[in-house]
Amino acid sequence: MDNAFIATNFDWDHRNPTGWQRGLNRVFRKLRLPVRLTPAPADMANIEARMNLFHLLEQTAAYRVPGDVVDLGCNAGDSTIVMRTVIDRMAPEKQVHAFDSFEGLPELTANDRGDGVYAKGYMAAGLDLFTRKFEALGLRMPQVHKGWFEETVPRDLPDRISFALIDGDLYESTRHVLPHVYDRMAPGAIGMLAVYYDENILPRSGIQGGYRSPGVKRACDEFFADKPEQVSVLYANEYSNGYFRKQ
Ligand SMILES: C[S@@+](CC[C@H](N)C(=O)[O-])C[C@H]1O[C@@H](n2cnc3c(N)ncnc32)[C@H](O)[C@@H]1O
């Protein structure tokens, strides 16, 4: 299927300056000022991360990996919208499940506080916004599981999973969901790790804060230490993604 909907559904064309920005950029150039204006980037992901999501999910649908798809940390729904669109076109028999507190991040434990990146309530987006986005695009709502992962996972996970987006940002959130998701993944199923940054594979000087979320890699390193699968890194410009394929 085509993936043009990623560019047309969302305002992610954020690297192209608008008219007035192009005008000001010309002035900056004439004045020899090393400054260029562009629209603000979308803050939960960028176009590269959405493309990674599209291709990983599309692959599991094309190869008919059995099981439903889950979005763990759906926030305002942009990632779930990509998932819903792909599944509706390629594997409509699958259920799409979206999990989030819809109150942002939980209280941080010492395991995440030390990173100095996040705080409780960070990124809060309500279920009403999520619902409005699905309505505006005329998409069927997924099965929504509102609450802390510690309550909803594994309770509300489907028995069989073909694709999971794990996007909880924190060490604790990632550590909690990974074993439950992994156990339910069919052979060939894919788990995408939204902010997995490995400086040994792709060192980037400008990647910091929420773009690298160091707790995610720590939780994955611990989990995969005794597993046959390994996490691979996918380029995502100012973000960095990871994924693994269940054996
Ligand atoms: C980066 S956002 C997700 C972005 C979304 N997947 C997207 O691509 O648009 C991370 C989300 O994880 C949720 N989250 C993190 N830890 C959680 C937990 N323990 N329980 C419930 N939600 C959690 C937060 O509420 C937040 O909305």
Side-chain angles (χ1 to χ4, degrees):
M1 69 176 278
D2 70 80
N3 65 13
F5 73 91
I6 293 175
T8 53
N9 273 3
F10 306 97
D11 184 18
W12 281 329
D13 200 11
H14 62 265
R15 292 189 191 103
N16 292 334
T18 58
W20 68 269
Q21 288 173 330
R22 275 199 299 278
L24 272 179
N25 286 343
R26 272 196 295 276
V27 176
F28 292 143
R29 233 180 345 260
K30 275 194 182 135
L31 295 173
R32 294 181 188 279
L33 291 174
V35 180
R36 295 291 175 272
L37 297 180
T38 57
D43 60 0
M44 286 298 145
N46 57 16
I47 195 107
E48 289 85 351
R50 298 304 183 205
M51 294 295 176
N52 288 335
L53 170 60
F54 171 86
H55 286 293
L56 293 174
L57 173 60
E58 199 257 4
Q59 194 184 117
T60 59
Y63 285 100
R64 303 189 187 288
V65 179
D68 293 332
V69 308
V70 297
D71 190 355
L72 286 148
C74 61
N75 195 257
D78 290 353
S79 47
T80 326
I81 284 168
V82 175
M83 294 161 86
R84 170 96 273 166
T85 308
V86 173
I87 290 306
D88 279 358
R89 297 226 197 123
M90 296 197 61
E93 73 285 359
K94 291 184 187 297
Q95 299 291 321
V96 178
H97 294 262
F99 293 77
D100 208 288
S101 66
F102 295 102
E103 296 174 25
L105 295 179
E107 192 80 59
L108 268 49
T109 70
N111 284 327
D112 285 295
R113 268 198 301 275
D115 293 328
V117 177
Y118 293 114
K120 178 176 164 44
Y122 196 85
M123 293 178 289
L127 180 52
D128 50 342
L129 176 58
F130 182 102
T131 307
R132 279 204 307 277
K133 286 193 177 200
F134 270 76
E135 282 170 2
L137 291 166
L139 290 172
R140 265 188 310 140
M141 277 288 278
Q143 295 192 27
V144 174
H145 308 279
K146 178 174 167 23
W148 302 112
F149 294 159
E150 291 71 10
E151 298 154 13
T152 57
V153 175
R155 188 191 66 201
D156 299 346
L157 281 180
D159 293 340
R160 204 89 157 126
I161 294 176
S162 59
F163 181 87
L165 173 63
I166 298 176
D167 193 2
D169 286 317
L170 300 177
Y171 169 86
E172 292 291 1
S173 300
T174 310
R175 181 176 73 159
H176 177 76
V177 302
L178 252 178
H180 301 297
V181 170
Y182 181 87
D183 281 352
R184 288 162 176 73
M185 285 168 76
I190 287 180
M192 176 171 171
L193 301 148
V195 272
Y196 181 92
Y197 172 68
D198 186 339
E199 61 194 348
N200 295 315
I201 293 184
L202 187 59
R204 307 281 307 278
S205 57
I207 301 230
Q208 28 179 266
Y211 291 125
R212 58 179 298 180
S213 300
V216 172
K217 182 165 184 304
R218 279 205 307 282
C220 290
D221 286 351
E222 282 175 24
F223 181 76
F224 286 102
D226 62 355
K227 304 287 181 301
E229 296 86 0
Q230 282 190 338
V231 177
S232 300
V233 167
L234 292 176
Y235 171 78
N237 208 314
E238 63 269 65
Y239 284 86
S240 184
N241 298 152
Y243 80 98
F244 63 96
R245 187 181 288 105
K246 181 81 181 289
Q247 290 189 8

